[in-house]
């Protein structure tokens, strides 16, 4: 094994140790899920940024940019950054005031138990692709830094199991503290590597001008072709709106010390993410100037995952040892922060909104144990999914948000901003959105109107029609919800 491998192992062990240490702050389910709603501005900003700066940002986005130009990365970083900014501007403060443990609690309080279950399941399922992408990236990193001695499959197993250990123990406290440290490593590492690589390619201006001359920035806007416009909107909305009703986003909002921090940290984290996401794209394009013979076969390979190797191979073959340590340290930081957060979020949702209501008189201690058990089970599930998937990292992440776009976004947005939104509207919204999306994905996935965009349109239609039409025998939402349900039509907290 190389010296680089042992540096990576030492860094990995230290970061896991920090995560385990953070577990000492966990006293109950609230600490585990939302860090006791006590985090300051700089920590919340760090965890927002670090969670989203994952494997797709360092490995997936650059590969898509090299193949398809700026038009190939509309979903991420453009849609992803706008998601965080929209959350900070329109969702964070309203949700923070409600003092909820999970986002699923909002759907229960507003619409009742059935909607809670349906949206919670959609949220949990959506994380398969996202967490699977992080585990795939861990397998790739361990395979590369070990010189092939560790297979990608075993790299996935090793990486997933170690992230699982401190996530099980420390929950959101471990995620927050490790994210803060890892954000520093990501920022410093990316800036340092950017300087090293740009020097070899002739400077930042040379790389950017070459990309412009090659037409990499010519295809962002779709033009006046209706099919292209619909594809652009679908790609943008998938991440921009589909990732708003996600538990990991909500956890960062809910973990803040107050509602002002919740809103401002989300906006700042989104802006930071957008800015730093362009560094890996710059590095990947610089690779085409520094070593075109290495890049060409990886881009032309029939293996969809081959292009993800461009940046790691560039660093291994053309960067000095210290730069290699900085790059793989930053890469592992990005993957670990994202993996731990996305393991925790669906597990907490499943425990709180699916399992807990099925049992009577669940104590907080038992709920905490259940959350930890679900983290263990979910890690096994997503590891198996990652091992069996042939999708590239960028596609795994992009596909993850389609289900929440068509199922969970409209009930959340209308529940917060439209007083007439009710249970009947939410049920029809979920039903029409899900059926139309799945139907189109099954029968005509390449139609001019993308399946997830059709699902979003039908979800909107279902909410409006269902909320305005006569009751059809359904009990009113405030009678279905729990006795202490929140009145969320205007974002204020009140008991009914």
């Amino acid at each position: 094994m190389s010296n680089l491998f042992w540096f990576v192992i030492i860094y990995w062990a230290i970061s896991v140790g920090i995560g385990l240490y953070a577990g000492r702050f966990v006293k109950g389910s609230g600490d585990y899920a939302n860090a006791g709603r006590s985090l300051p501005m700089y920590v919340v900003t760090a965890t927002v940024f670090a969670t989203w700066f994952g494997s797709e940002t360092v490995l997936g986005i650059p590969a898509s940019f090299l193949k398809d130009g700026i038009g190939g990365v509309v979903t991420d970083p453009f849609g992803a950054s706008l998601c965080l900014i929209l959350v900070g501007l329109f969702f964070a403060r309203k949700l923070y005031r409600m003092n909820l443990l999970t986002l699923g609690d909002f759907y229960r309080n507003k619409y009742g138990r059935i909607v809670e279950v349906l949206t919670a399941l959609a949220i949990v399922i959506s994380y398969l692709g996202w967490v699977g992408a992080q585990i795939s990236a861990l397998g790739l990193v361990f395979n590369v830094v070990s010189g092939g001695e560790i297979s990608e499959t075993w790299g996935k197993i090793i990486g997933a199991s170690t992230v699982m250990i401190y996530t099980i123990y420390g929950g959101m406290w471990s995620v927050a503290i490790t994210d803060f440290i890892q954000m520093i490593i990501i920022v410093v590492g990316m800036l340092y590597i950017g300087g090293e690589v740009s020097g070899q390619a002739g400077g930042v201006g040379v790389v950017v001008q070459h990309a412009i001359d090659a037409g990499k920035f010519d295809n962002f806007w779709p033009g006046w072709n209706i099919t292209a416009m619909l594809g652009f909107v679908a790609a943008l909305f998938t991440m921009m709106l589909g990732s708003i009703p996600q538990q990991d986003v909500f956890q960062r909002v809910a973990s803040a010390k107050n509602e002002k921090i919740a809103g401002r940290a989300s906006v700042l984290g989104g802006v930071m993410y957008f800015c730093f996401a362009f560094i890996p794209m710059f590095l990947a394009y610089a690779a085409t100037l520094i070593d075109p013979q290495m890049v060409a076969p990886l881009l032309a390979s029939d293996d969809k995952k081959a292009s993800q190797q461009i940046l790691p191979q560039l660093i291994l073959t053309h960067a000095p040892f210290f730069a290699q340590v900085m790059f793989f340290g930053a890469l592992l930081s990005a993957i670990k922060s994202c993996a731990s957060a996305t393991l925790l979020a669906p597990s907490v949702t499943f425990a709180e909104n699916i399992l807990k209501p099925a049992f009577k008189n669940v104590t907080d201690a038992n709920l905490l144990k259940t959350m930890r058990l679900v983290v263990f089970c979910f890690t096994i599930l997503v590891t198996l999914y990652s091992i069996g998937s042939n999708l590239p990292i960028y596609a795994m992440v992009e596909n993850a948000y389609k289900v929440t776009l068509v199922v969970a976004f409209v009930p959340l947005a209308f529940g917060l901003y439209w007083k007439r939104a009710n249970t009947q509207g939410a049920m029809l919204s979920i039903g029409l959105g899900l059926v139309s999306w799945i139907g189109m994905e099954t029968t005509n996935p390449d139609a001019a109107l993308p399946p997830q965009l059709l699902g979003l349109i039908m979800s909107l239609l279902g909410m409006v029609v269902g909320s305005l039409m006569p009751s059809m025998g359904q009990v009113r939402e405030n009678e279905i919800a729990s006795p202490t349900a929140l009145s969320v039509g205007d974002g204020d907290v009140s008991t009914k």
Side-chain angles (χ1 to χ4, degrees):
M1 298 289 185
S2 66
N3 290 333
L4 175 62
F5 174 79
W6 293 114
F7 269 98
V8 167
I9 294 300
I10 292 170
Y11 165 75
W12 188 262
I14 292 173
S15 60
V16 171
I18 293 171
L20 291 173
Y21 173 80
R24 65 194 291 266
F25 298 109
V26 176
K27 307 301 181 184
S29 60
D31 292 326
Y32 192 79
N34 297 325
R37 294 166 64 88
S38 61
L39 300 182
M41 176 75 176
Y42 64 93
V43 176
V44 180
T45 302
T47 193
V48 168
F49 169 79
T51 296
W52 283 66
F53 201 97
S55 62
E56 72 281 1
T57 313
V58 183
L59 302 175
I61 293 175
S64 296
F65 176 73
L66 289 183
K67 289 181 178 180
D68 304 317
I70 199 72
V73 294
V74 171
T75 298
D76 196 357
F78 291 94
S81 304
L82 286 171
C83 163
L84 295 174
I85 294 170
L86 289 175
V87 167
L89 293 176
F90 301 107
F91 293 86
R93 298 191 182 199
K94 285 178 175 286
L95 290 172
Y96 188 89
R97 293 173 200 153
M98 296 174 189
N99 195 20
L100 308 170
L101 188 65
T102 69
L103 194 58
D105 292 345
F106 166 84
Y107 295 103
R108 180 185 66 244
N109 293 339
K110 177 64 180 175
Y111 302 115
R113 173 64 177 156
I114 295 177
V115 174
E116 173 195 15
V117 171
L118 292 174
T119 51
L121 288 174
I123 290 169
V124 170
I125 290 170
S126 72
Y127 278 95
L128 280 174
W130 196 4
V131 187
Q134 311 315 312
I135 294 174
S136 294
L138 287 174
L140 173 62
V141 171
F142 277 110
N143 176 257
V144 170
V145 299
S146 68
E149 293 292 324
I150 298 176
S151 68
E152 286 198 33
T153 297
W154 274 107
K156 293 175 183 180
I157 294 171
I158 294 169
S161 59
T162 49
V163 171
M164 176 190 70
I165 289 171
Y166 75 78
T167 305
I168 284 179
Y169 187 63
M172 189 60 194
W173 270 111
S174 291
V175 171
I177 292 176
T178 54
D179 277 0
F180 176 68
I181 295 170
Q182 286 161 180
M183 184 199 74
I184 297 172
I185 296 173
I186 291 169
V187 170
V188 174
M190 285 292 115
L191 290 175
Y192 177 79
I193 293 298
E196 284 284 332
V197 171
S198 66
Q200 296 185 35
V204 175
V206 172
V207 176
V208 173
Q209 188 60 51
H210 195 281
I212 293 172
D213 294 340
K216 294 298 181 181
F217 294 99
D218 292 346
N219 63 335
F220 180 77
W221 299 109
W224 296 107
N225 181 286
I226 186 63
T227 301
M229 286 191 288
L230 290 172
F232 176 86
V233 172
L236 185 66
F237 280 13
T238 297
M239 183 80 83
M240 184 177 74
L241 303 182
S243 52
I244 288 177
Q246 287 284 3
Q247 177 63 17
D248 65 286
V249 177
F250 171 78
Q251 279 178 312
R252 275 126 199 84
V253 168
S255 66
K257 190 184 300 183
N258 56 57
E259 66 177 69
K260 288 184 179 180
I261 290 175
R264 291 172 181 174
S266 184
V267 173
L268 181 57
V271 172
M272 286 182 61
Y273 176 75
F274 181 79
C275 295
F276 278 89
F278 280 89
I279 296 179
M281 282 191 275
F282 169 82
L283 297 175
Y285 196 83
T288 65
L289 304 182
I290 296 170
D291 193 349
Q293 288 75 26
M294 180 270 291
V295 174
L298 292 175
L299 284 176
S301 174
D302 293 332
D303 183 358
K304 295 180 180 179
K305 298 181 180 180
S307 57
Q308 296 167 178
Q309 296 254 10
I310 291 173
L311 268 186
Q313 292 300 328
L314 172 72
I315 301 302
L316 283 176
T317 55
H318 292 278
F321 179 73
F322 182 73
Q324 294 177 21
V325 172
M326 291 296 291
F327 173 80
F328 284 102
L331 176 56
L332 282 174
S333 293
I335 298 169
K336 283 174 71 276
S337 61
C338 192
S340 58
T342 51
L343 280 176
L344 180 66
S347 303
V348 169
T349 297
F350 192 81
E352 166 72 7
N353 301 114
I354 304 297
L355 295 181
K356 180 184 173 182
F359 301 93
K360 294 182 179 179
N361 302 319
V362 178
T363 65
D364 190 69
N366 286 333
L367 178 60
L368 178 58
K369 291 177 182 177
T370 302
M371 288 178 178
R372 286 170 165 160
L373 178 61
V374 176
V375 171
F376 175 79
C377 296
F378 192 73
T379 303
I380 294 175
L381 179 63
V382 295
T383 303
L384 293 175
Y385 171 79
S386 176
I387 291 172
S389 176
N390 291 320
L391 288 174
I393 289 171
Y394 190 84
M396 292 175 74
V397 172
E398 182 179 11
N399 290 336
Y401 299 105
K402 292 179 180 179
V403 62
T404 45
L405 176 68
V406 304
V407 170
F409 171 72
V410 170
L412 173 63
F414 277 68
L416 287 173
Y417 282 98
W418 193 37
K419 292 183 178 181
R420 299 193 65 173
N422 59 31
T423 303
Q424 182 171 271
M427 291 291 291
L428 192 58
S429 173
I430 293 170
L432 289 180
L434 192 61
V435 169
S436 59
W437 170 58
I438 293 176
M440 184 66 80
E441 286 281 9
T442 304
T443 59
N444 193 8
D446 299 320
L449 180 62
Q452 71 268 33
L453 189 55
L454 173 64
L456 176 62
I457 294 170
M458 297 304 293
S459 180
L460 285 165
L461 180 65
M463 173 57 75
V464 174
V465 172
S467 296
L468 295 178
M469 70 188 299
S471 175
M472 295 181 64
Q474 289 200 22
V475 183
R476 292 176 59 189
E477 65 183 270
N478 60 343
E479 296 171 347
I480 293 177
S482 63
T484 57
L486 301 175
S487 177
V488 296
D490 59 1
D492 294 329
V493 180
S494 62
T495 57
K496 295 184 179 180

